[in-house]
Amino acid sequence: MRKYLTAECSKAFHRFYFFMAMLVTLLGVGVLVFTFWLSYHWGNGGMTFQNTAQMVALILSVGLYATLLTGDIVFSDQYKNNTLKNEVSYGVPRVRIYLGKLIVAILVAIVACVLLLGTYVGLCWILFPHGEADGAVMQILAYCLAGAFPLWLGAQGVVMTCYFLINSNTAAAFASVGILAAVPTVFQVLGLTLHPVFEMIRQFMPQFMVENLRNMLFDWSYVGLCWLVGLAWLAVSTLVGLLLFSKKEIR
């Protein structure tokens, strides 16, 4: 397993795709912060470190859908290119293939998250004025990230399951978005029209929980619930993926 992980990590982190994805997103972060800085430079006193940094808490759900990109970097059209078929033909156990790619996708996601969030918060720290609320803002960010991280892991598990079970990466991406974004909306409608139990189920969907974090500030029991739910999504999606992938005919 160690050799397989090393090979997959080397492949993922040396891909041009990975570097271009990071470059584009970092440029996006730079443009966003530069826009804030121009607003501050032109007299907008509301552009402080406190106000710019805490915007991270408002866009945590972006991390759920970023798992599509990190999953694609690792999986990389393996059905289309027949590389997955070759791995199986060479005798690599399917469990090792599945878990190896899942672990590497999580590692890629962690590296990307640290790089992007670190760059954004670091630039905000350097460019904008500070105040007494800086410590409180950092605590809010720590709280929100502590709750969002396991939910992002659960989303990564769902994405990798879709990539392994659906031969088209495009179709797999649509299926992932459907599970992560459309299903909660369906449950919300069903909860309003049929029975409240559907609304209760929706409250355990990653999208709902990650967006609800900012409404539950410093309720660490809710962060604990996020870890339970996120790891449950990761475990169940991985179990389903392993069972179905082990029986899947690869052409």
Side-chain angles (χ1 to χ4, degrees):
M1 187 62 165
R2 183 180 61 82
K3 292 182 179 179
Y4 187 80
L5 287 174
T6 301
E8 287 294 310
C9 281
S10 178
K11 184 171 65 174
F13 285 110
H14 286 87
R15 289 192 66 202
F16 181 71
Y17 185 178
F18 172 76
F19 288 106
M20 284 303 300
M22 291 299 97
L23 177 61
V24 170
T25 49
L26 284 172
L27 286 175
V29 168
V31 169
L32 179 62
V33 175
F34 180 68
T35 302
F36 293 158
W37 181 84
L38 282 180
S39 179
Y40 166 70
H41 186 68
W42 290 338
N44 184 354
M47 287 292 115
T48 63
F49 172 75
Q50 175 187 353
N51 292 333
T52 53
Q54 68 183 1
M55 289 184 183
V56 172
L58 302 177
I59 57 172
L60 290 173
S61 58
V62 172
L64 295 176
Y65 308 109
T67 56
L68 295 170
L69 180 61
T70 54
D72 191 39
I73 288 173
V74 174
F75 199 80
S76 182
D77 269 324
Q78 299 238 326
Y79 285 112
K80 180 179 178 180
N81 298 325
N82 287 326
T83 49
L84 191 63
K85 181 179 180 179
N86 291 340
E87 288 186 38
V88 174
S89 299
Y90 290 152
V92 182
R94 295 196 182 201
V95 172
R96 184 185 302 171
I97 294 172
Y98 192 100
L99 294 180
K101 294 185 189 302
L102 173 62
I103 292 171
V104 173
I106 290 173
L107 290 176
V108 172
I110 291 173
V111 169
C113 178
V114 171
L115 183 60
L116 296 175
L117 288 180
T119 299
Y120 177 78
V121 175
L123 288 175
C124 290
W125 180 271
I126 293 170
L127 296 176
F128 299 106
H130 297 269
E132 295 180 355
D134 286 359
V137 171
M138 297 304 291
Q139 290 177 6
I140 290 173
L141 293 183
Y143 170 85
C144 289
L145 292 175
F149 179 71
L151 298 171
W152 292 342
L153 291 181
Q156 190 70 77
V158 170
V159 168
M160 294 307 290
T161 298
C162 291
Y163 279 138
F164 267 99
L165 301 183
I166 301 174
N167 289 11
S168 166
N169 268 26
T170 302
F174 275 108
S176 301
V177 171
I179 295 171
L180 296 174
V183 171
T185 302
V186 172
F187 281 144
Q188 183 178 27
V189 173
L190 293 176
L192 292 172
T193 58
L194 292 181
H195 197 281
V197 70
F198 292 104
E199 175 60 24
M200 184 181 69
I201 295 173
R202 184 176 80 96
Q203 295 180 14
F204 294 96
M205 300 293 291
Q207 183 196 51
F208 178 91
M209 296 192 73
V210 77
E211 292 178 354
N212 196 44
L213 273 166
R214 58 180 179 267
N215 300 322
M216 306 289 290
L217 284 181
F218 305 121
D219 182 351
W220 289 98
S221 63
Y222 191 75
V223 171
L225 181 61
C226 288
W227 275 90
L228 287 175
V229 172
L231 293 180
W233 273 87
L234 176 61
V236 172
S237 61
T238 301
L239 180 60
V240 170
L242 281 171
L243 289 175
L244 296 181
F245 179 61
S246 65
K247 300 176 181 179
K248 180 179 173 63
E249 182 180 357
I250 302 176
R251 298 178 180 178

